[in-house]
Amino acid sequence: MPAPFPPLSPVPPPDELITARRRFFSGAPGAEQALALPIIRSWTRCAERGLPVGGRLKAEPLTQGELSVRRERYEALRRRCRPELEALHLSASAAGGIVILTDPTGLVLDTVGSADFADRAAQVALRPGVSWSEADSGTNAIGTALIERRGIEVRGAEHYAEPHGILTCAAAPIHDPFGELVGLLDLSGPSAVPHLHALALVELAVGQVEHRLFEGAFPGRDVVRFHADPSFLGTAREGVLVFEDHRLVAANRPALALLGLGWDALGARRFSELFEGSLGRPGDARRARTPNGAVMLRLERQAPAPVRAAPVPAPAAAAVNPGPRFDAETEQALGRAIRLMTAGVPVLIQGETGSGKEVFARQIHARGPRADRTFAAVNCAALPEGLIESELFGYEDGAFTGARRAGFKGLFREADGGVLFLDEIGDMPLGLQSRLLRVLQEREVTPLGGGKAVKVDFALVCASHRDLKMLVEQGSFRADLYFRIAQYTVTLPPLRSLADREALVERLWREMSGPGPDAPLLSPECREALARHTWPGNFRQLTGVLKVLLALAEPGETVGLEALPADVRTSELRGATLPMGNAGSDAFAAPAAPNAAADTAALTGDLGSVTRAAMDAALKECDGNISRAARRLGIHRSTLHRHLAARGH
């Protein structure tokens, strides 16, 4: 009896594809004429990484225990995708293939479909627990779709690695209501049986999953469903927008496409900018005009979360999209940085001290496809020259006096597969800059004290508060290294340049103080004074002052102007701040200068240490007089007594 499916062997590629491969791998021009742009871009990235073409790529599956942990982490996604996996299963079985669900990094979580093909696909490691990211497996529909952030089909010899030419795959990424990648669906089969509609079927399934992600996820929010064709309302093709206090906070891709918007519209657009008229009442359906034409619009308000005796968990939206929130322009720059970092382009972050460069870098890591890998950070300005070299490159046993007996891997190797963050790279010594450039060019590291060179694959993010272009002109920073790391530069704005600082102050205060009737409040005058201050230390200085105010506030108290540091009160009266380092004797004065490490550490410490430092400084300035110290701190003397008594004074 003949086999139910064709043998798993590569189909001879068309002549033009053979020619394109030969031209590309020989360096001859003209390869792009026979290849789709996503394929040629992917091949280029793979070649730059030094991935092998003919041999098998490294594919180390997770252990069963590790896979179980990963599946549990994405259990909610797996449940939501189950109906689509089963629906695609019918098509996959007919064509002799399998349906695959991956996590946001391209690691295979589940496969459903032809058992016969699944067994043979395992020969090229297409099975649960194996990463099919582009960095691990070369050009393939899973990894390349995650980088391109759109549906991709890779047929036979379009795969970078020759052993994968037995496959034809179609994949599309799954986005949550905030635009973040949460997973991917793939339909793979033997290249001998081309599936003409595979990509369309996968994209349709992904649309159903993304539509389902809105169910019950936004309690108490206004959900607008709309489409130019009323017959599409209630289907996965309808546009879905979520508003909180008339501001757009979540969306699906059909909605953004219908309105001609991108993900950067979240948090930046209001209902009145997108639709004529008011939101209306829940249940209402009406015609409305948009900048792109008329649509049928229906409003619903999801039921609020049930009230419980225990603390209520954070809303679903916050649970899906944790972390800091940036203004619309910075959020847009972050989205670009993530896409470019994913594509292997280094990112340079410039900005004043305290403007949030490391926070921005950590968000690139947390929201990108390497989120489950290492984020290795080193401050180049905080380590002596010799230690920077050993920290980055590692060393062998006995490489120098004081070296660990077993040696040290170094951050380059620690970051392998993840993100390496070099903070204050402008302070890196010139001699070390040349070694760093060599690592970036060759993608391999040789530890101090000899040893074998080790291949590394990491995404590079650098940051500096110094003008690197000027350092290049002055000769203290290598021009070739600058052009290597600054292929995409993000300049973070200083706090004083932000438009709605008062709303920012209020948001930070609410996040620090938490919910509840006993949470202290900021008076309007206090909030306005905080917003008007120029904050030379930027976010680091502002959050430090807010921590102090919160620590010294009584439950339910409204914090007034009298509680503010002297320089902030002075700026409110004069309309300007004192120069840095001239803030007077007030215990809450701003750090003397951005590089004053001790002051900065005090402002960024935990609430207890910040409170103790402020009180001790005020008491010292007032020669131990509690009444005068309390007035200086802007609190009641009983509050100061209570804190001192708790410390045993």
Side-chain angles (χ1 to χ4, degrees), residues 436-454:
L436 171 61
L437 181 62
R438 195 174 310 118
V439 170
L440 298 181
Q441 290 172 339
E442 300 175 4
R443 290 289 167 172
E444 63 180 27
V445 175
T446 303
L448 302 181
K452 183 181 178 181
V454 179

Side-chain angles (χ1 to χ4, degrees), residues 395-417:
Y395 51 81
E396 298 295 318
D397 181 16
F400 53 87
T401 303
R404 302 178 192 173
R405 292 179 61 87
F408 175 59
K409 286 177 65 175
L411 287 172
F412 280 144
R413 283 189 284 172
E414 290 285 349
D416 189 31

Side-chain angles (χ1 to χ4, degrees), residues 56-61 108 120-132 137 164:
R56 294 193 181 278
L57 297 171
K58 178 182 177 183
E60 297 181 358
V108 178
R120 290 177 288 164
Q123 298 170 19
V124 289
L126 190 58
R127 62 180 186 273
V130 176
S131 171
W132 275 72
S137 299
H164 299 161

Side-chain angles (χ1 to χ4, degrees), residues 311-384:
V312 179
V320 177
N321 192 31
R325 286 170 284 173
F326 302 107
D327 65 279
E329 185 176 348
T330 305
E331 194 70 50
Q332 188 175 9
L334 176 61
R336 288 195 295 266
I338 293 169
R339 293 187 65 179
L340 290 168
M341 183 270 288
T342 305
V345 177
V347 175
L348 173 64
I349 309 168
Q350 299 256 222
E352 295 181 5
T353 296
S355 59
K357 295 186 291 295
E358 182 168 352
V359 172
F360 191 91
R362 289 186 178 275
Q363 285 301 299
I364 294 176
H365 170 249
R367 303 191 196 183
R370 298 175 183 247
D372 64 333
R373 310 288 181 91
T374 303
F375 179 87
V378 62
N379 189 326
C380 299
L383 290 173

Side-chain angles (χ1 to χ4, degrees), residues 382-627:
L383 290 173
E385 181 172 347
L387 284 183
I388 294 178
E389 193 167 17
S390 60
E391 282 286 312
L392 289 176
F393 291 87
Y395 51 81
E396 298 295 318
D397 181 16
F400 53 87
T401 303
R404 302 178 192 173
R405 292 179 61 87
F408 175 59
K409 286 177 65 175
L411 287 172
F412 280 144
R413 283 189 284 172
E414 290 285 349
D416 189 31
V419 174
L420 177 66
F421 175 55
L422 297 180
D423 197 9
E424 300 304 350
I425 193 171
D427 294 292
M428 178 177 283
L430 270 172
L432 191 55
Q433 291 177 26
S434 61
R435 288 201 66 189
L436 171 61
L437 181 62
R438 195 174 310 118
V439 170
L440 298 181
Q441 290 172 339
E442 300 175 4
R443 290 289 167 172
E444 63 180 27
V445 175
T446 303
L448 302 181
K452 183 181 178 181
V454 179
K455 286 285 185 184
V456 289
D457 169 43
F458 54 77
L460 180 65
V461 181
C462 300
S464 180
H465 74 280
R466 306 176 68 183
D467 186 339
L468 294 189
K469 283 186 179 179
M470 184 179 297
L471 296 183
V472 170
E473 294 171 1
Q474 295 171 351
S476 58
F477 200 87
R478 293 180 61 111
D480 47 4
L481 177 60
Y482 172 75
F483 291 118
R484 171 72 69 164
I485 67 172
Q487 295 177 29
Y488 178 66
T489 300
V490 178
T491 301
L492 297 184
L495 176 57
R496 62 184 173 275
S497 72
L498 299 182
D500 199 356
R501 293 190 297 277
E502 194 167 338
L504 170 67
V505 169
E506 181 62 25
R507 176 174 67 79
L508 290 173
W509 180 261
R510 286 201 313 267
E511 291 175 354
M512 288 182 181
S513 60
D518 292 334
L521 303 174
L522 290 175
S523 71
E525 298 78 14
C526 179
R527 187 170 59 246
E528 185 177 353
L530 288 166
R532 286 190 181 184
H533 193 60
T534 56
W535 300 110
N538 291 294
F539 286 95
R540 183 180 297 139
Q541 184 187 1
L542 170 60
T543 55
V545 170
L546 291 178
K547 284 181 180 181
V548 174
L549 296 178
L550 180 61
L552 298 178
E554 297 286 355
E557 178 186 357
T558 297
V559 179
L561 272 175
E562 70 282 354
L564 292 175
D567 62 328
V568 180
R569 291 201 305 271
T570 304
S571 71
E572 169 66 9
L573 295 173
R574 297 184 310 176
T577 58
L578 293 173
M580 288 186 293
N582 195 21
S585 60
D586 189 88
F588 290 171
N595 293 326
D599 289 340
T600 300
L603 280 177
T604 56
D606 61 88
L607 287 177
S609 62
V610 170
T611 304
R612 289 191 295 272
M615 289 181 172
D616 290 344
L619 286 168
K620 182 178 180 180
E621 290 288 335
C622 298
D623 298 321
N625 186 305
I626 290 180
S627 296

